[in-house]
Amino acid sequence: MTDLPDIALSVRQPWAWGIIYAGKPVENRDWRRPNPGLKFRGRVAIHASKGMTRDEYLQAASFMVTLGVVCPPARDLLRGGIIGSVEVVDVVSSYDSPWFFGPRAFVLRDPQPCDFIPCAGVLGFFRWKPKEGGAAAPPARWMLPRGLGAAEARTHPRRTEQGVLL
């Protein structure tokens, strides 16, 4: 995809991966009215936020397994940039999908991956711009195979399928 919207929504991994690659049809939010973000409709870039704890990853990956979705290893999930785009078509307070946790969720359609574009994120919707000379966030120590040191984390190879880098 070459034409990305200038508005992005930051989503923590591995949920961002789920939106773009695993058919996750909703993005859950605990936002309350009158949050103006709840009025947004249209195409939005998906920003995979930099942060991801071990517990967040394990809970999400375990949940995905119950749906028959195999989440990539944590070290392979790109963080700190745009990974694709999706159409926001509605905001709902209930939805017939195991992905819905509420209390509200954006209903998503037509996910389209893109080459990773490093950029700083902001909570909620934001105007994004590429980070010149930027790179994906390096894997945290807990994401690495046992015995791999911190210095090696910066150069640890990442697979190239489904939105992951070398």
Side-chain angles (χ1 to χ4, degrees):
M1 168 173 229
T2 55
D3 293 331
L4 286 167
D6 61 350
I7 301 293
L9 178 63
S10 195
V11 179
R12 292 179 76 82
Q13 288 286 32
W15 302 115
W17 177 87
I19 290 169
I20 300 299
Y21 297 103
K24 183 176 186 269
V26 292
E27 172 52 18
N28 298 285
R29 295 289 156 147
D30 61 2
W31 296 352
R32 305 279 184 242
R33 296 200 186 277
N35 187 314
L38 294 173
K39 295 180 181 180
F40 182 88
R41 304 294 185 277
R43 191 134 203 105
V44 64
I46 296 296
H47 175 268
S49 66
K50 244 181 175 177
M52 178 177 63
T53 68
R54 180 187 312 217
D55 286 344
E56 287 172 330
Y57 173 78
L58 292 174
Q59 287 176 358
S62 294
F63 168 76
M64 289 181 197
V65 164
T66 69
L67 303 178
V69 174
V70 179
C71 185
R75 70 180 172 269
D76 291 342
L77 291 167
L78 295 172
R79 296 174 295 113
I82 303 298
I83 64 168
S85 68
V86 69
E87 188 82 20
V88 175
V89 297
D90 202 0
V91 176
V92 296
S93 56
S94 65
Y95 196 78
D96 187 20
S97 169
W99 295 95
F100 178 83
F101 305 123
R104 290 189 170 76
F106 295 109
V107 178
L108 310 173
R109 299 272 192 275
D110 190 28
Q112 297 182 8
C114 70
D115 290 337
F116 182 77
I117 305 170
C119 76
V122 177
L123 291 176
F125 290 101
F126 64 98
R127 289 197 183 281
W128 68 277
K129 60 181 180 180
K131 187 176 186 179
E132 296 300 321
R141 187 175 207 97
W142 67 264
M143 298 175 190
L144 299 174
R146 292 185 189 270
L148 200 59
E152 293 159 287
R154 289 183 202 65
T155 59
H156 184 68
R158 295 178 172 193
R159 290 180 290 152
T160 57
E161 57 197 62
Q162 295 186 336
V164 288
L165 291 176
L166 280 179

